[in-house]
Amino acid sequence: MMVVMNRRVAWLSAVRALIVNGGKSSGSSSSNRYISTAAVAGKPLESFCASRELDWRKSTMVMRMMCTASSSSKELTEKDDRKEKTSSSATEAKKKKDDDEDKALVSSYWGIARPKITREDGTEWPWNCFMPWETYRADISIDLSKHHVPKTFPDKVAYRTVKLLRIPTDIFFKRRYGCRAMMLETVAGVPGIVGGMLLHLRSLRKFDHSGGWIKALLEEAENERMHLMTMVELVKPKWYERLLVLAVQGIFFNAYFVLYLLSPKVAHRVVGYLEEEAIHSYTEYLKDIDNGKIENVSAPAIAIDYWRLPKDATLKDVITVIRADEAHHRDVNHFASDIHFQKKELREAPAPIGYH
């Protein structure tokens, strides 16, 4: 009876061992798949079953631990890959930034490098065309209604010339004051640079000081150029308008150059009357903004920094400060013409440096 029971136990053990160890390779030893009858003989059935169940639990736990370790290893691998990609992206961005800086700084041999410039709030200064110390707050309280009444013959010639020049402008632009202002600024930036250049050459020839008028006229030209840079942000010029600018600038530069050589007093008077027309044009521009005919869009960033406008400034604010600048230029050029009419030279009167 005992022998029969032992045989049955051995058979059951062999079947269970085959199930548990069935996933192993066929090359393993047969003793791993079969249990001899002699090894089981003499052991109680309960003890043997408990022993086999414990082995089965251990093998299951090992399998679970292996799966967990595999999953953890996969997660660690993915995390390392993400870190490597992030590090690679940061390296590429830094390399690109260094390349851009290398392009900007063509050669460090000469020791030429722009110093780090910041705004008052500590943020980086974004403009290369003007610096923070060149910015200002426009004096909008200036009298816009002042007008020089032409009395002498040269004054009348200057006044009529400007009025004639306005006719084709009115026909071409009509009430498109954005385009008109853009064209006006391409012309208004010429007299200052021509006058400053000729005064500079005269100072070199005669070994005389200019009384600060070279700097004053160059400041005027730069201010008019900044008006143009602002208007270009607001009005994108079309190709035919760009061609018109080339033609007008070529004609006006040469004509004003000759006029300044022949009669500086008439040349400055012409500019004074041109600025009066500019004040009128910008006043009409503001009227159309107030009437809703022109959208009062946000001010360009360049205008906010140049005129120190509030961050929420609008187109109306920009046109207001530009009009004030034109009024100052009107006064400067009429003043310069008056000096010449009094038979004096510009260097004999103090130049209004910084007077925008």
Side-chain angles (χ1 to χ4, degrees), residues 9 26 39 42 47 171 175 191 204 212 238 263 291 339 347-348:
V9 170
S26 58
S47 176
I171 295 174
R175 295 195 69 84
L204 297 178
K238 299 178 176 59
S263 178
N291 295 332
I339 295 172
R347 62 187 178 86
E348 299 179 42

Side-chain angles (χ1 to χ4, degrees), residues 309-356:
L309 298 173
K311 298 298 182 182
D312 57 348
T314 61
L315 174 60
K316 182 177 180 179
D317 299 320
V318 175
I319 301 303
T320 300
V321 295
I322 291 178
R323 184 179 62 174
D325 287 348
E326 305 294 5
H328 285 84
H329 299 161
R330 171 204 62 193
D331 295 346
V332 170
N333 282 278
H334 280 314
F335 173 56
S337 184
D338 289 342
I339 295 172
H340 284 293
F341 270 103
Q342 295 171 15
K343 308 299 182 181
K344 297 181 180 179
E345 295 184 2
L346 291 181
R347 62 187 178 86
E348 299 179 42
I353 299 175
Y355 183 76
H356 293 289

Side-chain angles (χ1 to χ4, degrees), residues 162-226:
V162 172
K163 287 298 182 181
L164 287 174
L165 291 175
R166 181 174 174 174
I167 294 175
T169 305
D170 290 339
I171 295 174
F172 186 82
F173 293 108
K174 297 181 180 179
R175 295 195 69 84
R176 293 186 298 136
Y177 286 108
C179 297
R180 178 195 287 260
M182 180 193 65
M183 179 60 67
L184 176 66
E185 299 302 342
T186 63
V187 173
V190 172
I193 200 71
V194 171
M197 176 185 67
L198 291 176
L199 288 178
H200 175 77
L201 295 176
R202 181 176 180 177
S203 176
L204 297 178
R205 290 195 309 270
K206 295 192 172 184
F207 311 107
D208 285 336
H209 292 288
S210 68
W213 278 96
I214 295 174
K215 186 174 181 60
L217 293 178
L218 294 181
E219 280 183 353
E220 178 184 316
E222 175 65 12
N223 185 246
E224 296 286 6
R225 191 185 66 84
M226 290 305 299

